[in-house]
PDB file of all heavy atoms in Angstrom:
ATOM      1  N   ARG Z   1       3.685  -5.229  -0.026  1.00 95.00           N
ATOM      2  CA  ARG Z   1       4.615  -6.127   0.509  1.00 95.00           C
ATOM      3  C   ARG Z   1       5.152  -5.593   1.912  1.00 95.00           C
ATOM      4  O   ARG Z   1       5.593  -4.447   1.913  1.00 95.00           O
ATOM      5  CB  ARG Z   1       5.767  -6.480  -0.410  1.00 95.00           C
ATOM      6  CG  ARG Z   1       6.744  -7.478   0.122  1.00 95.00           C
ATOM      7  CD  ARG Z   1       7.803  -7.735  -0.950  1.00 95.00           C
ATOM      8  NE  ARG Z   1       7.319  -8.137  -2.182  1.00 95.00           N
ATOM      9  CZ  ARG Z   1       6.845  -9.385  -2.609  1.00 95.00           C
ATOM     10  NH1 ARG Z   1       6.779 -10.315  -1.666  1.00 95.00           N
ATOM     11  NH2 ARG Z   1       6.332  -9.541  -3.822  1.00 95.00           N
ATOM     12  N   CYS Z   2       5.229  -6.437   2.899  1.00 96.00           N
ATOM     13  CA  CYS Z   2       5.749  -5.992   4.175  1.00 96.00           C
ATOM     14  C   CYS Z   2       7.294  -6.011   4.077  1.00 96.00           C
ATOM     15  O   CYS Z   2       7.886  -7.018   3.599  1.00 96.00           O
ATOM     16  CB  CYS Z   2       5.316  -6.883   5.279  1.00 96.00           C
ATOM     17  SG  CYS Z   2       6.005  -6.462   6.903  1.00 96.00           S
ATOM     18  N   ARG Z   3       7.942  -5.052   4.610  1.00 93.00           N
ATOM     19  CA  ARG Z   3       9.411  -4.972   4.540  1.00 93.00           C
ATOM     20  C   ARG Z   3      10.040  -5.767   5.685  1.00 93.00           C
ATOM     21  O   ARG Z   3      11.241  -6.073   5.672  1.00 93.00           O
ATOM     22  CB  ARG Z   3       9.902  -3.571   4.631  1.00 93.00           C
ATOM     23  CG  ARG Z   3       9.575  -2.695   3.341  1.00 93.00           C
ATOM     24  CD  ARG Z   3      10.241  -1.471   3.295  1.00 93.00           C
ATOM     25  NE  ARG Z   3       9.926  -0.785   1.999  1.00 93.00           N
ATOM     26  CZ  ARG Z   3      10.128   0.429   1.792  1.00 93.00           C
ATOM     27  NH1 ARG Z   3      10.592   1.201   2.712  1.00 93.00           N
ATOM     28  NH2 ARG Z   3       9.814   0.936   0.604  1.00 93.00           N
ATOM     29  N   SER Z   4       9.207  -6.211   6.635  1.00 96.00           N
ATOM     30  CA  SER Z   4       9.741  -6.997   7.794  1.00 96.00           C
ATOM     31  C   SER Z   4       9.514  -8.522   7.544  1.00 96.00           C
ATOM     32  O   SER Z   4      10.431  -9.298   7.685  1.00 96.00           O
ATOM     33  CB  SER Z   4       9.079  -6.615   9.058  1.00 96.00           C
ATOM     34  OG  SER Z   4       9.338  -5.299   9.390  1.00 96.00           O
ATOM     35  N   CYS Z   5       8.283  -8.920   7.251  1.00 97.00           N
ATOM     36  CA  CYS Z   5       7.991 -10.330   7.138  1.00 97.00           C
ATOM     37  C   CYS Z   5       7.711 -10.837   5.747  1.00 97.00           C
ATOM     38  O   CYS Z   5       7.392 -12.035   5.569  1.00 97.00           O
ATOM     39  CB  CYS Z   5       6.808 -10.671   8.084  1.00 97.00           C
ATOM     40  SG  CYS Z   5       5.179 -10.108   7.434  1.00 97.00           S
ATOM     41  N   SER Z   6       7.723  -9.978   4.761  1.00 94.00           N
ATOM     42  CA  SER Z   6       7.472 -10.283   3.322  1.00 94.00           C
ATOM     43  C   SER Z   6       6.063 -10.708   3.016  1.00 94.00           C
ATOM     44  O   SER Z   6       5.772 -11.170   1.956  1.00 94.00           O
ATOM     45  CB  SER Z   6       8.430 -11.311   2.788  1.00 94.00           C
ATOM     46  OG  SER Z   6       9.743 -10.743   2.863  1.00 94.00           O
ATOM     47  N   HIS Z   7       5.138 -10.479   3.943  1.00 96.00           N
ATOM     48  CA  HIS Z   7       3.679 -10.714   3.722  1.00 96.00           C
ATOM     49  C   HIS Z   7       3.229  -9.864   2.534  1.00 96.00           C
ATOM     50  O   HIS Z   7       3.596  -8.644   2.444  1.00 96.00           O
ATOM     51  CB  HIS Z   7       2.811 -10.453   4.920  1.00 96.00           C
ATOM     52  CG  HIS Z   7       1.348 -10.444   4.607  1.00 96.00           C
ATOM     53  ND1 HIS Z   7       0.638 -11.600   4.443  1.00 96.00           N
ATOM     54  CD2 HIS Z   7       0.441  -9.467   4.515  1.00 96.00           C
ATOM     55  CE1 HIS Z   7      -0.601 -11.347   4.194  1.00 96.00           C
ATOM     56  NE2 HIS Z   7      -0.734 -10.014   4.296  1.00 96.00           N
ATOM     57  N   THR Z   8       2.431 -10.360   1.589  1.00 96.00           N
ATOM     58  CA  THR Z   8       1.954  -9.568   0.476  1.00 96.00           C
ATOM     59  C   THR Z   8       0.401  -9.741   0.399  1.00 96.00           C
ATOM     60  O   THR Z   8      -0.160 -10.714   0.833  1.00 96.00           O
ATOM     61  CB  THR Z   8       2.503 -10.111  -0.885  1.00 96.00           C
ATOM     62  OG1 THR Z   8       2.109 -11.399  -1.123  1.00 96.00           O
ATOM     63  CG2 THR Z   8       4.039 -10.007  -1.000  1.00 96.00           C
ATOM     64  N   ASP Z   9      -0.166  -8.659  -0.203  1.00 95.00           N
ATOM     65  CA  ASP Z   9      -1.606  -8.656  -0.393  1.00 95.00           C
ATOM     66  C   ASP Z   9      -1.960  -7.559  -1.383  1.00 95.00           C
ATOM     67  O   ASP Z   9      -1.156  -6.647  -1.556  1.00 95.00           O
ATOM     68  CB  ASP Z   9      -2.445  -8.468   0.884  1.00 95.00           C
ATOM     69  CG  ASP Z   9      -3.792  -8.951   0.799  1.00 95.00           C
ATOM     70  OD1 ASP Z   9      -4.246  -9.414  -0.304  1.00 95.00           O
ATOM     71  OD2 ASP Z   9      -4.554  -8.820   1.796  1.00 95.00           O
ATOM     72  N   TRP Z  10      -3.071  -7.672  -2.030  1.00 95.00           N
ATOM     73  CA  TRP Z  10      -3.590  -6.674  -2.915  1.00 95.00           C
ATOM     74  C   TRP Z  10      -4.455  -5.705  -2.073  1.00 95.00           C
ATOM     75  O   TRP Z  10      -5.316  -6.214  -1.273  1.00 95.00           O
ATOM     76  CB  TRP Z  10      -4.405  -7.261  -4.023  1.00 95.00           C
ATOM     77  CG  TRP Z  10      -3.562  -7.965  -5.020  1.00 95.00           C
ATOM     78  CD1 TRP Z  10      -3.360  -9.366  -5.026  1.00 95.00           C
ATOM     79  CD2 TRP Z  10      -2.820  -7.464  -6.103  1.00 95.00           C
ATOM     80  NE1 TRP Z  10      -2.528  -9.651  -6.062  1.00 95.00           N
ATOM     81  CE2 TRP Z  10      -2.177  -8.517  -6.707  1.00 95.00           C
ATOM     82  CE3 TRP Z  10      -2.617  -6.172  -6.621  1.00 95.00           C
ATOM     83  CZ2 TRP Z  10      -1.354  -8.396  -7.800  1.00 95.00           C
ATOM     84  CZ3 TRP Z  10      -1.813  -6.052  -7.650  1.00 95.00           C
ATOM     85  CH2 TRP Z  10      -1.176  -7.101  -8.274  1.00 95.00           C
ATOM     86  N   ILE Z  11      -4.297  -4.428  -2.230  1.00 93.00           N
ATOM     87  CA  ILE Z  11      -5.044  -3.429  -1.515  1.00 93.00           C
ATOM     88  C   ILE Z  11      -5.881  -2.614  -2.484  1.00 93.00           C
ATOM     89  O   ILE Z  11      -5.356  -2.075  -3.479  1.00 93.00           O
ATOM     90  CB  ILE Z  11      -4.076  -2.481  -0.708  1.00 93.00           C
ATOM     91  CG1 ILE Z  11      -3.142  -3.232   0.166  1.00 93.00           C
ATOM     92  CG2 ILE Z  11      -4.953  -1.416   0.107  1.00 93.00           C
ATOM     93  CD1 ILE Z  11      -3.781  -4.083   1.271  1.00 93.00           C
ATOM     94  N   GLU Z  12      -7.134  -2.451  -2.169  1.00 90.00           N
ATOM     95  CA  GLU Z  12      -8.126  -1.815  -3.089  1.00 90.00           C
ATOM     96  C   GLU Z  12      -7.868  -0.278  -3.067  1.00 90.00           C
ATOM     97  O   GLU Z  12      -7.559   0.286  -2.103  1.00 90.00           O
ATOM     98  CB  GLU Z  12      -9.548  -2.133  -2.739  1.00 90.00           C
ATOM     99  CG  GLU Z  12     -10.539  -1.760  -3.745  1.00 90.00           C
ATOM    100  CD  GLU Z  12     -11.921  -2.275  -3.410  1.00 90.00           C
ATOM    101  OE1 GLU Z  12     -12.129  -2.807  -2.329  1.00 90.00           O
ATOM    102  OE2 GLU Z  12     -12.783  -2.196  -4.304  1.00 90.00           O
ATOM    103  N   ASP Z  13      -8.168   0.312  -4.179  1.00 89.00           N
ATOM    104  CA  ASP Z  13      -7.928   1.748  -4.356  1.00 89.00           C
ATOM    105  C   ASP Z  13      -8.702   2.584  -3.307  1.00 89.00           C
ATOM    106  O   ASP Z  13      -8.257   3.636  -2.850  1.00 89.00           O
ATOM    107  CB  ASP Z  13      -8.210   2.282  -5.766  1.00 89.00           C
ATOM    108  CG  ASP Z  13      -9.651   1.994  -6.261  1.00 89.00           C
ATOM    109  OD1 ASP Z  13     -10.532   1.503  -5.542  1.00 89.00           O
ATOM    110  OD2 ASP Z  13      -9.939   2.304  -7.427  1.00 89.00           O
ATOM    111  N   ILE Z  14      -9.839   2.069  -2.866  1.00 85.00           N
ATOM    112  CA  ILE Z  14     -10.620   2.881  -1.847  1.00 85.00           C
ATOM    113  C   ILE Z  14      -9.826   3.015  -0.544  1.00 85.00           C
ATOM    114  O   ILE Z  14      -9.911   3.949   0.162  1.00 85.00           O
ATOM    115  CB  ILE Z  14     -12.010   2.276  -1.642  1.00 85.00           C
ATOM    116  CG1 ILE Z  14     -12.840   3.231  -0.859  1.00 85.00           C
ATOM    117  CG2 ILE Z  14     -11.963   0.949  -0.952  1.00 85.00           C
ATOM    118  CD1 ILE Z  14     -14.357   2.866  -0.843  1.00 85.00           C
ATOM    119  N   VAL Z  15      -9.025   2.015  -0.258  1.00 86.00           N
ATOM    120  CA  VAL Z  15      -8.152   2.041   0.940  1.00 86.00           C
ATOM    121  C   VAL Z  15      -6.945   2.974   0.675  1.00 86.00           C
ATOM    122  O   VAL Z  15      -6.626   3.824   1.496  1.00 86.00           O
ATOM    123  CB  VAL Z  15      -7.694   0.659   1.445  1.00 86.00           C
ATOM    124  CG1 VAL Z  15      -6.711   0.736   2.560  1.00 86.00           C
ATOM    125  CG2 VAL Z  15      -8.930  -0.233   1.705  1.00 86.00           C
ATOM    126  N   VAL Z  16      -6.316   2.763  -0.433  1.00 83.00           N
ATOM    127  CA  VAL Z  16      -5.129   3.525  -0.774  1.00 83.00           C
ATOM    128  C   VAL Z  16      -5.470   5.020  -0.864  1.00 83.00           C
ATOM    129  O   VAL Z  16      -4.701   5.849  -0.373  1.00 83.00           O
ATOM    130  CB  VAL Z  16      -4.522   3.031  -2.145  1.00 83.00           C
ATOM    131  CG1 VAL Z  16      -3.406   3.924  -2.680  1.00 83.00           C
ATOM    132  CG2 VAL Z  16      -4.012   1.584  -1.967  1.00 83.00           C
ATOM    133  N   ASP Z  17      -6.620   5.347  -1.445  1.00 83.00           N
ATOM    134  CA  ASP Z  17      -7.026   6.748  -1.597  1.00 83.00           C
ATOM    135  C   ASP Z  17      -7.421   7.415  -0.258  1.00 83.00           C
ATOM    136  O   ASP Z  17      -7.464   8.602  -0.181  1.00 83.00           O
ATOM    137  CB  ASP Z  17      -8.210   6.873  -2.542  1.00 83.00           C
ATOM    138  CG  ASP Z  17      -7.865   6.522  -3.945  1.00 83.00           C
ATOM    139  OD1 ASP Z  17      -6.615   6.426  -4.269  1.00 83.00           O
ATOM    140  OD2 ASP Z  17      -8.774   6.281  -4.807  1.00 83.00           O
ATOM    141  N   ALA Z  18      -7.643   6.596   0.801  1.00 84.00           N
ATOM    142  CA  ALA Z  18      -8.035   7.175   2.107  1.00 84.00           C
ATOM    143  C   ALA Z  18      -6.917   7.670   2.915  1.00 84.00           C
ATOM    144  O   ALA Z  18      -7.154   8.385   3.871  1.00 84.00           O
ATOM    145  CB  ALA Z  18      -8.833   6.021   2.867  1.00 84.00           C
ATOM    146  N   PHE Z  19      -5.689   7.382   2.521  1.00 82.00           N
ATOM    147  CA  PHE Z  19      -4.498   7.809   3.257  1.00 82.00           C
ATOM    148  C   PHE Z  19      -3.619   8.730   2.439  1.00 82.00           C
ATOM    149  O   PHE Z  19      -3.573   8.589   1.222  1.00 82.00           O
ATOM    150  CB  PHE Z  19      -3.674   6.578   3.687  1.00 82.00           C
ATOM    151  CG  PHE Z  19      -4.444   5.700   4.691  1.00 82.00           C
ATOM    152  CD1 PHE Z  19      -5.205   4.651   4.174  1.00 82.00           C
ATOM    153  CD2 PHE Z  19      -4.453   5.918   6.070  1.00 82.00           C
ATOM    154  CE1 PHE Z  19      -5.858   3.782   5.087  1.00 82.00           C
ATOM    155  CE2 PHE Z  19      -5.110   5.163   6.920  1.00 82.00           C
ATOM    156  CZ  PHE Z  19      -5.892   4.090   6.452  1.00 82.00           C
ATOM    157  N   PRO Z  20      -2.898   9.655   3.066  1.00 81.00           N
ATOM    158  CA  PRO Z  20      -2.078  10.535   2.306  1.00 81.00           C
ATOM    159  C   PRO Z  20      -0.863   9.823   1.647  1.00 81.00           C
ATOM    160  O   PRO Z  20      -0.274   8.950   2.294  1.00 81.00           O
ATOM    161  CB  PRO Z  20      -1.599  11.583   3.310  1.00 81.00           C
ATOM    162  CG  PRO Z  20      -1.735  10.957   4.621  1.00 81.00           C
ATOM    163  CD  PRO Z  20      -2.861   9.917   4.493  1.00 81.00           C
ATOM    164  N   PRO Z  21      -0.446  10.222   0.436  1.00 80.00           N
ATOM    165  CA  PRO Z  21       0.717   9.503  -0.163  1.00 80.00           C
ATOM    166  C   PRO Z  21       1.982   9.946   0.539  1.00 80.00           C
ATOM    167  O   PRO Z  21       2.174  11.118   0.870  1.00 80.00           O
ATOM    168  CB  PRO Z  21       0.639  10.076  -1.603  1.00 80.00           C
ATOM    169  CG  PRO Z  21      -0.135  11.277  -1.535  1.00 80.00           C
ATOM    170  CD  PRO Z  21      -1.109  11.137  -0.426  1.00 80.00           C
ATOM    171  N   VAL Z  22       2.834   8.998   0.813  1.00 78.00           N
ATOM    172  CA  VAL Z  22       4.120   9.243   1.417  1.00 78.00           C
ATOM    173  C   VAL Z  22       5.268   8.722   0.597  1.00 78.00           C
ATOM    174  O   VAL Z  22       6.442   9.132   0.794  1.00 78.00           O
ATOM    175  CB  VAL Z  22       4.196   8.787   2.874  1.00 78.00           C
ATOM    176  CG1 VAL Z  22       3.187   9.522   3.765  1.00 78.00           C
ATOM    177  CG2 VAL Z  22       4.004   7.248   2.943  1.00 78.00           C
ATOM    178  N   GLU Z  23       4.968   7.853  -0.256  1.00 70.00           N
ATOM    179  CA  GLU Z  23       6.078   7.236  -1.069  1.00 70.00           C
ATOM    180  C   GLU Z  23       6.256   8.033  -2.360  1.00 70.00           C
ATOM    181  O   GLU Z  23       5.256   8.656  -2.788  1.00 70.00           O
ATOM    182  CB  GLU Z  23       5.692   5.767  -1.408  1.00 70.00           C
ATOM    183  CG  GLU Z  23       5.645   4.826  -0.176  1.00 70.00           C
ATOM    184  CD  GLU Z  23       5.672   3.440  -0.525  1.00 70.00           C
ATOM    185  OE1 GLU Z  23       6.512   2.953  -1.287  1.00 70.00           O
ATOM    186  OE2 GLU Z  23       4.678   2.722  -0.050  1.00 70.00           O
ATOM    187  N   PRO Z  24       7.433   7.909  -2.971  1.00 71.00           N
ATOM    188  CA  PRO Z  24       7.672   8.661  -4.242  1.00 71.00           C
ATOM    189  C   PRO Z  24       6.599   8.281  -5.337  1.00 71.00           C
ATOM    190  O   PRO Z  24       6.323   9.090  -6.239  1.00 71.00           O
ATOM    191  CB  PRO Z  24       9.066   8.176  -4.660  1.00 71.00           C
ATOM    192  CG  PRO Z  24       9.713   7.739  -3.423  1.00 71.00           C
ATOM    193  CD  PRO Z  24       8.596   7.208  -2.536  1.00 71.00           C
ATOM    194  N   GLU Z  25       6.030   7.068  -5.289  1.00 70.00           N
ATOM    195  CA  GLU Z  25       5.066   6.712  -6.295  1.00 70.00           C
ATOM    196  C   GLU Z  25       3.742   7.290  -6.055  1.00 70.00           C
ATOM    197  O   GLU Z  25       2.776   7.118  -6.821  1.00 70.00           O
ATOM    198  CB  GLU Z  25       4.930   5.104  -6.288  1.00 70.00           C
ATOM    199  CG  GLU Z  25       6.216   4.397  -6.739  1.00 70.00           C
ATOM    200  CD  GLU Z  25       7.215   4.271  -5.497  1.00 70.00           C
ATOM    201  OE1 GLU Z  25       6.788   4.310  -4.342  1.00 70.00           O
ATOM    202  OE2 GLU Z  25       8.402   4.121  -5.760  1.00 70.00           O
ATOM    203  N   GLY Z  26       3.581   7.981  -4.935  1.00 77.00           N
ATOM    204  CA  GLY Z  26       2.314   8.633  -4.683  1.00 77.00           C
ATOM    205  C   GLY Z  26       1.279   7.713  -3.974  1.00 77.00           C
ATOM    206  O   GLY Z  26       0.107   8.037  -4.040  1.00 77.00           O
ATOM    207  N   VAL Z  27       1.790   6.692  -3.307  1.00 82.00           N
ATOM    208  CA  VAL Z  27       0.811   5.760  -2.574  1.00 82.00           C
ATOM    209  C   VAL Z  27       1.258   5.809  -1.048  1.00 82.00           C
ATOM    210  O   VAL Z  27       2.362   6.147  -0.706  1.00 82.00           O
ATOM    211  CB  VAL Z  27       0.929   4.340  -3.097  1.00 82.00           C
ATOM    212  CG1 VAL Z  27       0.351   4.259  -4.513  1.00 82.00           C
ATOM    213  CG2 VAL Z  27       2.370   3.828  -3.047  1.00 82.00           C
ATOM    214  N   PRO Z  28       0.277   5.526  -0.169  1.00 87.00           N
ATOM    215  CA  PRO Z  28       0.543   5.581   1.233  1.00 87.00           C
ATOM    216  C   PRO Z  28       1.300   4.370   1.747  1.00 87.00           C
ATOM    217  O   PRO Z  28       1.260   3.294   1.149  1.00 87.00           O
ATOM    218  CB  PRO Z  28      -0.839   5.696   1.879  1.00 87.00           C
ATOM    219  CG  PRO Z  28      -1.674   4.925   0.844  1.00 87.00           C
ATOM    220  CD  PRO Z  28      -1.142   5.290  -0.475  1.00 87.00           C
TER     221      PRO Z  28
END
């Protein structure tokens, strides 16, 4: 979810795994 415009979408694990985790939940 976007913190500015509230746009939402599902992101596949192959994309999530391609970037380093920065959030406490371990996702980018």
Side-chain angles (χ1 to χ4, degrees):
R1 179 179 309 279
C2 179
R3 292 192 176 164
S4 298
C5 73
S6 296
H7 170 73
T8 63
D9 199 358
W10 290 97
I11 306 298
E12 192 171 10
D13 59 2
I14 193 168
V15 174
V16 172
D17 293 344
F19 296 94
V22 295
E23 294 191 54
E25 299 81 21
V27 293

